[in-house]
Amino acid sequence: MRLLFCLMMGFGAVAVATPADAQPAKPGLLIDQAGLFTLWSDSKPVVVLDVRPRQQFDAGRVPSAQHIDIGAWKAAFGAGADAAGWGKRLGALGIDAETTVVVYDRFTSPSACRAWWLLKYWGVADARVLDGGTVAWKAAKAPPAADRPPTTFRATPQPDRLATRDEVLQAIAADSAGSACLIDTRTDAEWAAGVIPTAKHSDWLNYVDQRTGKLRPAAELERLLASAGYRAGVELDAITYCRSGGRAAVVAFVAELITGRPAANYWGSWNEWSQTPAGPSVQPVAAP
C-alpha cells in the first residue's frame, strides 16, 4: 500500500491550498491520544479495538485494546441484515448503548474506517477513530485502562449509511440533476480504467498526511471534499465507493467529520458494479 510505503520512507505529503480556519462539524468522530487519556481518566465506558494483523497486535497494543479480524467483520456483514448476530458480536466485546468505541490501525486507514463504519451502521452512537493509529501513539505514555466485560448490545441497522447498487443507479440520475454526489476514492490508475457514471475522483490517500499517518487539517479536508463536489452546508446525498468499501469508508468518515452529515458507503463498490451487466455503461476516462 502506498501510504505504508510513504510512512516508512518519510515521503512528503501533497500540499493543498485552502482557508486555515475551517473546523469539523463533528470533531468528536476523531480522537487523539490526549482525548483517549481523558476518557479513561473520566472513567467513561470505553472499548478500544485494534484492526491490525494479529501478530502486530500481539507484539504491542494500546492499553485495554481488543483485537478484531477486520476481514472476518467484512465477510460477516453480508447484506447488512443480521442484527442479532452483530448484537452478539459487539456485545461480546463489551459494547453497549453507553460505550464509546475507539478504533485504530497503524495509521488512519481504510481498515480502521471500515470498522468505524460497521459500528455506526449497527447503531453504535459513539464510535471514533484514533488519529494516526500506533504511528502517532508509540511516543505517548498511556495510563492504565481496564478491559470491559461482555455485555448486551442491540444492533440496529442505519440504512442511510449503506448504499446498494439500485441506490447508486438512482444517484447517477440525481447526480446529473445536481442533487447527489458520487465520489470515487480509488487510485488514479483505477479511475482511469473506468468509473461509475457521473462519479468524481478523490483518491483517499490525499486525505491522510503520509508523513504522520493522521488525517490532514480540517481546512484541507474541506477543500478535498469540495473538489469532489461535496460541500458543507449544501444538501446533497453523497455516496462513496472504491473496490470493496474500505477506502470509501475513509472518505465517508471524513465527509461526516467535516459536514456533520453521514455519507453512504457503496459496500459492494467496483467489485460488484463491474460484474453487473445490467448497469449503465462504464465511462473510461483519462487520469486527472
Side-chain angles (χ1 to χ4, degrees), residues 40 63-64 142-146:
W40 284 334
S64 81

Side-chain angles (χ1 to χ4, degrees), residues 58-79:
D58 289 341
R61 61 180 178 133
V62 171
S64 81
Q66 301 177 69
H67 180 259
I68 63 169
D69 183 337
I70 191 61
W73 274 34
K74 175 187 173 184
F77 181 74

Side-chain angles (χ1 to χ4, degrees), residues 68-198:
I68 63 169
D69 183 337
I70 191 61
W73 274 34
K74 175 187 173 184
F77 181 74
D82 185 15
W86 278 89
K88 292 178 181 177
R89 179 176 286 107
L90 299 182
L93 293 169
I95 299 170
D96 61 22
E98 305 302 319
T99 308
T100 295
V101 185
V102 178
V103 186
Y104 72 89
D105 194 350
R106 183 172 175 243
F107 57 97
T108 306
S109 73
S111 290
C113 290
R114 187 193 292 278
W116 169 85
W117 183 85
L118 285 164
L119 291 164
K120 296 298 291 184
Y121 177 83
W122 289 115
V124 175
D126 190 359
R128 313 185 191 191
V129 172
L130 182 62
D131 198 17
T134 56
V135 168
W137 179 270
K138 61 183 180 181
K141 293 183 179 179
D147 292 339
R148 289 271 289 167
T151 184
T152 301
F153 180 76
R154 183 175 180 177
T156 306
Q158 308 296 309
D160 61 330
R161 295 183 176 276
L162 173 66
T164 65
R165 176 190 165 278
D166 287 344
E167 287 169 332
V168 172
L169 285 167
Q170 296 170 13
I172 291 170
D175 196 348
S176 299
S179 58
C181 179
L182 280 168
I183 304 175
D184 185 319
T185 70
R186 299 173 300 158
T187 64
D188 289 350
E190 290 172 295
W191 162 264
V195 301
I196 295 177
T198 77

Side-chain angles (χ1 to χ4, degrees), residues 184 186 190 193-197 241-245 266-276 282-283:
D184 185 319
R186 299 173 300 158
E190 290 172 295
V195 301
I196 295 177
Y241 77 92
C242 56
R243 184 174 60 84
S244 62
Y266 177 26
W267 190 258
S269 278
W270 189 255
N271 280 349
E272 178 183 74
W273 186 267
S274 62
Q275 297 174 23
T276 307
V282 172
Q283 299 177 338

